[in-house]
Amino acid sequence: MATAAVIPANDLPGDLVGWVELLQEPADASEWNLNTALNAPESQWVPISNSVLNFSFDASAYWVRFTLNNPTDTNIRLIFDVAQPLQDYIGAWLVDENNMPVRTWQTGDRRPTSGRPFAYRAFAFPISIAPGQQIQFIARLDTHDGLYDALPLSLVSQGTFFMQKDREALWFGFYYGAITILLLYNLLVGVATRERDFLLYSLYLGCFLLWNLAFRGYLALGPLANAPILNNMATAVFGGSIFISLIIFTRRFLSLNTRMPRTDITLMILAAAMTIPILLAMLDYYAPVFQLIIPLALIIMLSVLAVATYLSFKRIRTARIYLLAWVFLIASAFAYYGRVLSLVPSTWLTENALNIGSLIELLVLSLAMADRIRVLKQERLENQTYLIDREREMNQELKEQVALKTRELKQLADRFEQESITDPLTGLKNRRTFESTLEQSVRQQDRDNPWLCLALIDLDYFKNFNDQYGHPQGDKLLEQLGQVLLHTFQRGDDCVFRMGGEEFGVVFRTDSTQAVTAMLQEFQTKLAAIPSQASAEPVTASVGVACVLNGNSISPSELYVRADELLYQCKSEGRNQFRIGHLDEPATGKDLARR
């Protein structure tokens, strides 16, 4: 195992610096496998000095590792997040104390999305640590032909991860919704007025939107999920297209063919040069493409900035608005490319600089386009009524688009709320909804089914099963138990919950305690028939059922305590049995046990 400090899973450090170790695979050696990395000299492993790895242009593969232990008596679930959608290849393993892999992943943006642990735009790896367990995570990072983007690494609890990604999804939903609305708005204006400025601006917006969707990993979750090579090409193809459409739009918007004809020719040459890396990207080159795109992009941005500055000094109104808009975008682009080239630190601000700068740039440039509409109105007074009508129609369409995006965000929030009350492993409702359901059931009465029952079910010897056959088999058994419970308690008002670990709960009503006995016998029969690939022994469980008639003044906690007492009586008397008790009767005498 690793010699670095072991991370306590119940008290994660805020920063992975010093906890995670890095090893560079020799570029002139054959590709390493897991055993090669595990047997590498400890002196070759170096603690990372920054939680954001930045190798830039490098043909070597890199390994990262860290060790976790769980000093608590409960299972802990963590997520190791590599928040970079453009990482070509990632091989990851969870290794036990005997250096034996217990879980393996092979993923990356040049592999199908179906191989990712989660349907997530980047790469996140679930880590489940049993009480007292120590486990090592190790991963191999490699590229297609020698280009890494910055790799932000984080280790958080499962709940924190999904909460962060929920907020991220809302932010990107707003961002892409805003760009889409601007795209549709300018496209409609361009079609209505037949002004090429708006159409060319729409082309630029479209290229930028598609590039950002590829750059942020969202294309890999949608239309290109099963075409990883095309998805990988999309970043370079649409990235180069941004600068070509930028030059075309700039020439038209600033009338460079008449105001600065020589500069206009220079920009067209730069646009033609940008087609070279686009063609190379289509031939599946990657690192050479960005070795061309980055300097070309910097030259284009500096040229556009110089042109806008020069025309602004000439007191051209459109050039001044244009300059204001592009200052934000160019500054953000310099921050991004500086991060790729390791010239500036990789932080949240530099990682999202293009999104922040582009949003500001698009908003400011929209003001320039609005000013363009005013000029058009002055130049075409005879069409004033027509333009006003069209503007009203587009405003209404804009409102409908905003309303549509708002409804979509609400639906997304509702889905996240539903996921927060559901156990991710079994699909059953979790303990969060159990308490409110039990409280509501205690207050209600049913004339046809006067008995309210709470059953607590606990798998027998589940810890031994997990220790012997591993957590994947244990998880599979829990899923099967959940399905058995759903098929046994399947009436409309029956509610099945996963309380935590191997403990489950059922809240249901019945017309007699004899009916409860029949249901539990049916449950035991189905449970024993579960097909298990790990063990030939039948699966058993202990069940405690507390029942109470309509009209009794009892609290949910009293009902729960009674069922829990009956459950532990079953366990103390040999397991593989059930007990049924009435809350208003003594603990003995009226309890029924069945094996």
Side-chain angles (χ1 to χ4, degrees), residues 353-555:
L354 279 176
N355 293 81
I356 297 171
S358 64
L359 190 57
I360 297 174
E361 171 260 335
L362 294 175
L363 291 174
V364 174
L365 201 56
S366 295
L367 296 177
M369 303 308 289
D371 181 71
R372 192 72 169 178
I373 292 177
R374 182 187 64 82
V375 173
L376 287 173
K377 287 181 179 180
Q378 292 176 350
E379 294 175 348
R380 302 179 183 182
L381 292 178
E382 66 276 12
N383 295 325
Q384 185 174 16
T385 302
Y386 173 77
L387 290 175
I388 292 174
D389 291 341
R390 291 296 299 167
E391 185 177 10
R392 288 175 180 172
E393 293 175 7
M394 288 182 290
N395 285 337
Q396 181 60 35
E397 292 173 2
L398 182 61
K399 290 179 182 178
E400 292 174 357
Q401 288 291 329
V402 172
L404 176 63
K405 291 299 177 182
T406 301
R407 288 195 298 271
E408 291 175 351
L409 289 175
K410 185 179 183 303
Q411 291 172 357
L412 185 62
D414 292 342
R415 180 170 66 84
F416 289 151
E417 174 64 22
Q418 179 63 30
E419 291 176 353
S420 71
I421 63 173
T422 303
D423 175 58
L425 176 63
T426 62
L428 303 176
K429 293 185 177 180
N430 58 22
R431 185 153 192 157
R432 175 182 176 185
T433 55
F434 166 76
E435 296 175 355
S436 59
T437 302
L438 181 60
E439 183 176 353
Q440 183 179 6
S441 299
V442 168
R443 291 199 304 265
Q444 294 176 343
Q445 295 188 16
D446 189 324
R447 185 172 58 187
D448 296 329
N449 296 288
W451 287 96
L452 171 64
C453 302
L454 169 61
L456 295 181
I457 301 99
D458 194 282
L459 279 177
D460 295 332
Y461 307 108
F462 181 71
K463 185 179 183 302
N464 295 341
F465 184 96
N466 252 353
D467 291 342
Q468 185 171 0
Y469 303 110
H471 289 279
Q473 287 292 337
D475 289 346
K476 181 178 179 180
L477 178 58
L478 293 176
E479 292 180 57
Q480 292 173 319
L481 173 57
Q483 292 302 310
V484 169
L485 288 171
L486 287 175
H487 284 93
T488 304
F489 300 91
Q490 55 183 334
R491 295 187 308 176
D493 54 355
D494 293 347
C495 298
V496 182
F497 308 86
R498 184 185 179 195
M499 310 293 288
E502 67 272 27
E503 185 177 354
F504 294 74
V506 184
V507 177
F508 62 100
R509 285 188 173 274
T510 185
D511 56 354
S512 67
T513 54
Q514 290 77 13
V516 178
T517 300
M519 295 171 73
L520 293 179
Q521 289 173 340
E522 177 188 356
F523 165 72
Q524 285 185 321
T525 301
K526 291 180 178 179
L527 184 63
I530 288 179
S532 175
Q533 298 178 0
S535 171
E537 297 293 327
V539 180
T540 64
S542 301
V543 185
V545 185
C547 303
V548 64
L549 272 171
N550 287 342
N552 281 284
S553 300
I554 54 95
S555 66

Side-chain angles (χ1 to χ4, degrees), residues 147-211:
L147 174 61
Y148 290 87
D149 210 317
L151 298 168
L153 308 180
S154 62
L155 181 66
V156 296
S157 68
Q158 192 176 86
T160 300
F161 173 82
F162 286 111
M163 181 177 63
Q164 291 173 347
K165 300 315 164 186
D166 290 350
R167 289 198 299 263
E168 178 183 88
L170 289 174
W171 152 245
F172 278 111
F174 166 77
Y175 177 76
Y176 293 129
I179 295 179
T180 302
I181 291 170
L182 287 173
L183 170 60
L184 294 175
Y185 177 83
N186 285 277
L187 184 61
L188 289 171
V189 172
V191 171
T193 62
R194 298 183 181 179
E195 281 292 321
R196 292 175 59 190
D197 298 55
F198 295 95
L199 296 175
L200 293 176
Y201 184 52
S202 299
L203 175 63
Y204 165 74
L205 284 173
C207 292
F208 189 90
L209 177 62
L210 290 172
W211 169 80

